[in-house]
Amino acid sequence: MKAVQFLSKDLPLEVKEVPTPVPADGEVLIRLAFAAFNHLDLWIWQEKVLEKPVISGADGSGVVESVGRGVDKSLVGKEVIINPGLYWGDDERFTGKNFQILGNPTNGTFAEYITIPREYVHEKPAHLNLEEAAALPLAALTAYRALFSRADLQPSDKVLITGIGGGAALYLLQIANAAGASVYVTSSSEEKIRRAIAMGAKGGYNYRDAAWVTKAKDEIGGFDVIIDSAGGDGFAVLADVANPGARIVNFGRTAGNINGLKPWLVYNKQLQILGTMMGTPAEFKAMLEFYSKHKLGPTIDKTFQLNEVNAARDYMNSGEHFGKIMLQVGDK
Ligand SMILES: NC(=O)c1ccc[n+]([C@@H]2O[C@H](COP(=O)([O-])OP(=O)(O)OC[C@H]3O[C@@H](n4cnc5c(N)ncnc54)[C@H](OP(=O)(O)O)[C@@H]3O)[C@@H](O)[C@H]2O)c1
């Protein structure tokens, strides 16, 4: 089968001919149709040097081709997606030491086939096609846990989502909207703010404009929930725009380390600053149910073919996208 293998940050990604995997006991063989990019893929490709090649990719959808011993054969032919959060561990509050995300070190979804333990295979939501379904797993799971399990989102909350162009950020917007909260966004792009408003955001601010914090405080007052996946120098001002008692959740480092956070704002406002990471198997199921109940779907920016993986990587690195970047890996 064809697969995108990664070995070292110093080498280009290559589509290689590799053996098609065979499902072991308890595993499922999926003929993949689509995979999705996440910023995580960029981090791995930019930062890692591995001991042996691994097939990249955390998100994917496809059709069950065959099953290993001990797996119900009625799964064969079903259209499925994969929960990429493997071996979460025993404590729902945080990941255990065996936790890993599909694509490193376990072979991922940028391939024509994948084998994966049955417990990570879920029927795709019926209202989504295979491409739409492949865009969900990692980012929608992270957004779901960030909003509900960590920020304890309430319909009365004013929510701020930073960097709305990102794949995960747009899931935050649609989930918080569907939950009845009032959602505001930040972006480096006026066009992306306009698109977010068209999707249900109440307003937006350009985080490159130093006056955005003052404008937001004048117009909105403050935010009860802030979800950030950028970190960096822009994180500190989130404490300025937070209401007393606000929950600020972070799950990313796109803009680097956090500098300049004022402790007096944190303690005077009694802020909760919370980290989050992917989600538990139960949250994955709950996310799929939420998407089915509210008939939500992803915003797909662009779809590349498997042999265009380097161009797709460069496109994601440019930050120009609005929503998910996809890879068509099969013929569907
Ligand atoms: N821990 C986890 O479980 C987990 C899960 C998912 C993602 N993540 C992390 O979350 C981040 C986003 O992931 P993704 O896959 O959604 O990436 P992505 O699609 O590449 O998102 C990039 C977006 O980040 C925004 N951005 C860049 N610099 C920013 C800044 N200084 N301030 C605010 N926003 C900024 C941009 O928004 P605009 O274009 O609107 O300016 C850009 O569109 C990454 O750091 C990723 O590693 C972590």
Side-chain angles (χ1 to χ4, degrees):
M1 68 169 184
K2 289 193 178 60
V4 175
Q5 274 195 336
F6 170 77
L7 180 59
S8 162
K9 63 186 169 70
D10 303 315
L11 298 170
L13 295 165
E14 271 188 276
V15 180
K16 288 205 167 159
E17 200 57 48
V18 301
T20 302
V22 176
D25 294 358
E27 284 188 346
V28 171
L29 175 70
I30 300 169
R31 179 161 46 86
L32 289 160
F34 288 92
F37 280 78
N38 290 284
H39 212 95
L40 171 69
D41 303 308
L42 275 188
W43 296 133
I44 293 172
W45 296 331
Q46 289 169 353
E47 296 174 357
K48 299 268 183 200
V49 178
L50 306 181
E51 280 171 16
K52 55 181 185 148
V54 67
I55 298 171
S56 294
D59 283 342
S61 67
V63 177
V64 176
E65 181 92 351
S66 65
V67 296
R69 242 193 347 210
V71 179
D72 185 352
K73 287 193 173 56
S74 68
L75 214 54
V76 175
K78 292 258 160 64
E79 294 188 323
V80 295
I81 58 174
I82 303 165
N83 173 3
L86 310 182
Y87 318 117
W88 176 277
D90 299 332
D91 196 323
E92 65 184 23
R93 293 173 303 166
F94 43 79
T95 54
K97 64 178 175 8
N98 294 328
F99 177 75
Q100 50 169 280
I101 301 172
L102 186 61
N104 181 33
T106 296
N107 278 331
T109 56
F110 290 6
E112 292 177 306
Y113 291 89
I114 189 172
T115 50
I116 189 84
R118 161 72 188 97
E119 66 197 278
Y120 299 112
V121 178
H122 297 257
E123 281 193 44
K124 74 166 179 59
H127 70 290
L128 300 179
N129 63 33
L130 277 171
E131 182 172 24
E132 292 162 337
L136 288 189
L138 189 152
L141 171 64
T142 305
Y144 186 91
R145 177 175 170 91
L147 285 166
F148 293 124
S149 312
R150 303 298 280 146
D152 189 24
L153 183 72
Q154 303 297 318
S156 56
D157 284 331
K158 285 183 188 158
V159 179
L160 180 70
I161 297 158
T162 63
I164 198 59
L170 282 165
Y171 290 123
L172 290 162
L173 166 60
Q174 65 175 185
I175 294 172
N177 244 342
S182 303
V183 187
Y184 299 81
V185 303
T186 71
S187 179
S188 58
S189 152
E190 301 300 332
E191 173 58 19
K192 289 184 184 182
I193 292 172
R194 271 194 292 279
R195 291 180 71 178
I197 290 171
M199 289 173 64
K202 294 239 177 323
Y205 299 93
N206 191 323
Y207 59 75
R208 293 211 173 127
D209 169 8
W212 84 264
V213 175
T214 315
K215 281 187 202 160
K217 281 204 287 199
D218 287 350
E219 289 168 13
I220 316 298
F223 301 98
D224 309 301
V225 169
I226 301 176
I227 316 276
D228 173 70
S229 60
D233 292 336
F235 187 88
V237 298
L238 301 180
D240 282 326
V241 290
N243 279 332
R247 294 86 79 199
I248 303 178
V249 183
N250 170 273
F251 59 81
R253 58 178 171 107
T254 311
N257 287 338
I258 292 166
N259 296 306
L261 184 63
K262 296 174 186 137
W264 62 268
L265 281 176
V266 178
Y267 62 72
N268 269 355
K269 292 188 182 182
Q270 309 216 21
L271 302 177
Q272 297 183 60
I273 298 182
L274 304 156
T276 195
M277 174 84 191
M278 302 273 294
T280 65
E283 285 162 338
F284 191 83
K285 280 195 197 128
M287 178 275 288
L288 290 181
E289 281 162 18
F290 190 89
Y291 268 73
S292 293
K293 181 177 165 202
H294 294 279
K295 297 278 183 289
L296 301 177
T299 303
I300 291 177
D301 180 291
K302 200 166 177 176
T303 304
F304 291 83
Q305 300 300 308
L306 196 60
N307 62 5
E308 298 173 313
V309 65
N310 283 293
R313 178 200 54 198
D314 294 346
Y315 182 56
M316 179 162 230
N317 206 19
S318 76
E320 284 168 25
H321 55 286
F322 185 81
K324 297 301 288 186
I325 300 168
M326 309 298 297
L327 206 56
Q328 181 164 10
V329 294
D331 8 282
K332 272 202 168 178

